[in-house]
Amino acid sequence: ISGDADPDHGKQFAETPMVGGIDDLTDVIRELEIQEVIITDDRIAPERLFETMMQVGRKQRVEFRFAPSVFNLLPQKTSVEQIGVLPMVRLFREPLSDSQRFLKRASDLAISTVASIITSPLWLAAAIAIKLDSKGPVLFKQERIGMDGRRILCYKFRTMTDGADQNVHREAYIKNIEGHSEANAGDDDTPVFGKVKDDPRITRVGRILRQTSLDELPQILNVFRGEMSVVGPRPPIPYEVEEYDIWHRKRLDMKPGITGLWQVSGRNRLTFDEMVRVDIYYIENWSLLLDLKIIFLTLPAMIRGDGAR
């Protein structure tokens, strides 16, 4: 792959034929099922690599590395490794140390196991209520963006009519990201951002599940799969990330969570930029104690019905 957008495809580099330019990288990764990309061209912007990671899809996990001669590209999340005698820099490394990452993963598995046992009657009750209330599947599966732009399939209890138009939310959330006054689905005294006002797509049971945040319970499955954490930033939808400014992407430096500092700090009463700042604060100040505090604060937030706001 050449760093040029439109290279001469017949050209060779070190007796190796070029298969395309940087704009072809996503397609080449998919077609050739590439699992590792090594970058040696210092003209490739980190933002372009992030977009490639986002576009490549859920099923293919790709590692990005580059040669140390291009340190001017170096983002914060990196680690130096060695392949044979050649030093490499690994991109998109989790901000936690190895011991912190192990501790967070271990706590995720322990908490999720206990939570799945305790909440199993709620899973059954929710499934029965959803089936009795409206036609369609019990679970709603949607592509979300996880850590570093990787796509994941996020699970929730279905709270809308089957086949509901997602463009309604897309338009509302783009306004929220851009800071439009119309993004407030509430009023001046009790603002509600990132929601569709009087959303007709939500079912009767769905409204209750959202109000109590019980619709998020199936994301325990995502935690077991290692795609999410119990605590972390909210996992955005791909079309949301397409509208992000560069600094917004900082909130994708850690695995998304079922609950998080945003959920217990005002939730939809916060503007989009305020939400991002809360997420960045969490990422930069992570500790197991902070996670436990957020978990203990989540229950009161569910009782207050913050999920409906």
Side-chain angles (χ1 to χ4, degrees):
I1 290 288
S2 167
D4 295 327
D6 187 22
D8 182 354
H9 287 247
K11 188 177 178 182
Q12 290 192 343
F13 177 77
E15 301 182 354
T16 301
M18 290 189 179
V19 295
I22 184 62
D23 289 342
D24 305 309
L25 181 57
T26 300
D27 292 334
V28 171
I29 289 173
R30 290 172 178 164
E31 291 172 8
L32 302 181
E33 298 183 352
I34 291 171
Q35 294 181 324
E36 185 173 32
V37 175
I38 298 176
I39 300 102
T40 60
D41 192 330
D42 60 6
R43 294 170 294 174
I44 301 175
E47 293 79 16
R48 187 66 187 86
L49 299 177
F50 177 90
E51 290 166 2
T52 299
M53 180 75 79
M54 233 183 84
Q55 295 165 0
V56 76
R58 289 182 290 106
K59 297 181 180 179
Q60 199 160 352
R61 299 190 65 84
V62 184
E63 294 291 349
F64 284 81
R65 293 180 170 87
F66 61 81
S69 60
V70 289
F71 273 122
N72 57 314
L73 284 183
L74 207 61
Q76 291 182 344
K77 296 176 61 181
T78 59
S79 65
V80 178
E81 302 173 346
Q82 190 164 332
I83 299 179
V85 297
L86 184 63
M88 286 288 164
V89 177
R90 181 178 175 184
L91 301 178
F92 307 123
R93 183 175 175 82
E94 195 167 345
L96 306 182
S97 67
D98 289 343
S99 59
Q100 288 175 322
R101 192 164 61 251
F102 173 80
L103 186 61
K104 187 166 176 61
R105 180 60 180 158
S107 66
D108 280 342
L109 292 175
I111 293 169
S112 296
T113 300
V114 173
S116 61
I117 295 172
I118 293 175
T119 61
S120 56
L122 295 176
W123 287 61
L124 179 60
I128 294 172
I130 291 169
K131 293 302 289 185
L132 292 176
D133 185 49
S134 60
K135 295 181 179 179
V138 169
L139 291 182
F140 174 68
K141 295 176 285 186
Q142 185 181 47
E143 275 201 343
R144 296 288 182 112
I145 301 299
M147 188 171 71
D148 296 326
R150 298 182 189 274
R151 289 179 182 250
I152 63 174
L153 195 62
C154 190
Y155 299 96
K156 298 179 73 173
F157 281 126
R158 181 175 60 83
T159 59
M160 294 185 178
T161 54
D162 192 27
D165 184 8
Q166 299 300 311
N167 286 325
V168 178
H169 178 268
R170 178 173 189 160
E171 293 172 2
Y173 215 89
I174 288 175
K175 290 179 180 178
N176 184 34
I177 293 174
E178 294 175 347
H180 285 269
S181 58
E182 306 97 276
N184 184 3
D187 51 46
D188 293 337
D189 294 329
T190 54
V192 178
F193 296 99
K195 295 284 187 180
V196 177
K197 189 171 185 177
D198 300 324
D199 196 338
R201 303 171 300 164
I202 301 177
T203 63
R204 291 172 299 178
V205 169
R207 202 168 299 280
I208 297 172
L209 291 174
R210 286 188 170 211
Q211 184 175 359
T212 56
S213 297
L214 292 176
D215 60 318
E216 312 282 357
L217 277 179
Q219 288 169 24
I220 290 176
L221 300 175
N222 292 106
V223 176
F224 284 130
R225 289 161 60 102
E227 300 163 333
M228 291 180 63
S229 182
V230 173
V231 180
R234 184 188 65 85
I237 304 171
Y239 60 68
E240 296 178 37
V241 181
E242 291 172 4
E243 304 296 324
Y244 279 11
D245 290 336
I246 296 300
W247 76 275
H248 292 152
R249 293 178 178 177
K250 178 71 176 174
R251 67 184 301 270
L252 302 176
D253 280 357
M254 190 177 279
K255 286 182 183 180
I258 300 176
T259 186
L261 191 56
W262 169 72
Q263 284 91 331
V264 300
S265 300
R267 198 163 179 149
N268 295 109
R269 294 189 295 276
L270 302 180
T271 65
F272 178 76
D273 282 357
E274 288 171 337
M275 178 196 75
V276 174
R277 292 189 182 97
V278 167
D279 285 338
I280 292 175
Y281 174 88
Y282 168 78
I283 292 170
E284 293 179 345
N285 295 275
W286 179 86
S287 69
L288 185 58
L289 180 59
L290 179 58
D291 272 6
L292 293 175
K293 286 180 178 179
I294 291 172
I295 291 170
F296 284 121
L297 288 172
T298 297
L299 185 57
M302 293 172 63
I303 295 173
R304 291 194 304 267
D306 283 357
R309 299 175 187 176

